Amino acid sequence: MAVFVQHMKYCSLVMAKGCVNTEDCTMLEQVMRCAALSKNKTVWVDCESISSLPTQSLRMLLSLCSKAESSGVELLFYQFNPKIHRVIEKAGLNSVLNILPTMADAYAYCRKKGPSKTK
């Protein structure tokens, strides 16, 4: 899979393509560590181009969500394709992962949370 990271004013944006593997999850963890040390403390993951999400990667994402929460980082996933979203729902993880429909929804979610997350 290909993972691209762009650090922006309000968040770190991760764009993922293809099959999510353990190396990709490790890279996402590194982005989260950087976010924990920054002022914005928000990581958005664009999931539109993810073609598959193996069980091991799904477990790692769940673990990353726990780590993000404990380190004060807001980890948001958005724009999953319907096939992948169904896999997440079947696993019962849609209530655990912060999944939003679009990037605009991620932005609105962060704006609603207010500046306390960016201090």
Side-chain angles (χ1 to χ4, degrees):
M1 179 177 105
V3 174
F4 304 97
V5 179
Q6 183 176 2
H7 299 285
M8 300 169 30
K9 183 176 180 180
Y10 300 108
C11 70
S12 293
L13 177 62
V14 177
M15 296 168 58
K17 291 185 177 190
C19 177
V20 175
N21 59 34
T22 55
E23 290 176 22
D24 302 320
C25 293
T26 301
M27 179 181 261
L28 180 56
E29 185 173 14
Q30 291 172 348
V31 173
M32 282 177 20
R33 285 187 191 141
C34 290
L37 299 173
S38 74
K39 289 187 337 183
N40 68 40
K41 298 196 183 313
T42 305
V43 177
W44 297 357
V45 183
D46 182 339
C47 304
E48 181 178 26
S49 297
I50 292 177
S51 60
S52 67
L53 190 58
T55 303
Q56 180 63 26
S57 298
L58 204 50
R59 286 187 188 122
M60 289 183 77
L61 288 180
L62 182 59
S63 174
L64 288 177
C65 286
S66 296
K67 288 179 183 180
E69 186 176 324
S70 66
S71 63
V73 172
E74 193 76 46
L75 181 59
L76 304 175
F77 299 91
Y78 66 90
Q79 222 158 304
F80 274 109
N81 73 48
K83 174 186 156 194
I84 301 298
H85 198 255
R86 280 191 297 277
V87 169
I88 291 169
E89 286 177 337
K90 278 180 95 172
L93 298 177
N94 53 323
S95 62
V96 179
L97 301 174
N98 290 328
I99 300 174
L100 299 163
T102 66
M103 181 184 241
D105 293 311
Y107 179 76
Y109 178 89
C110 290
R111 295 283 295 170
K112 190 166 88 171
K113 285 284 203 175
S116 63
K117 283 287 186 189
T118 60
K119 287 185 182 176

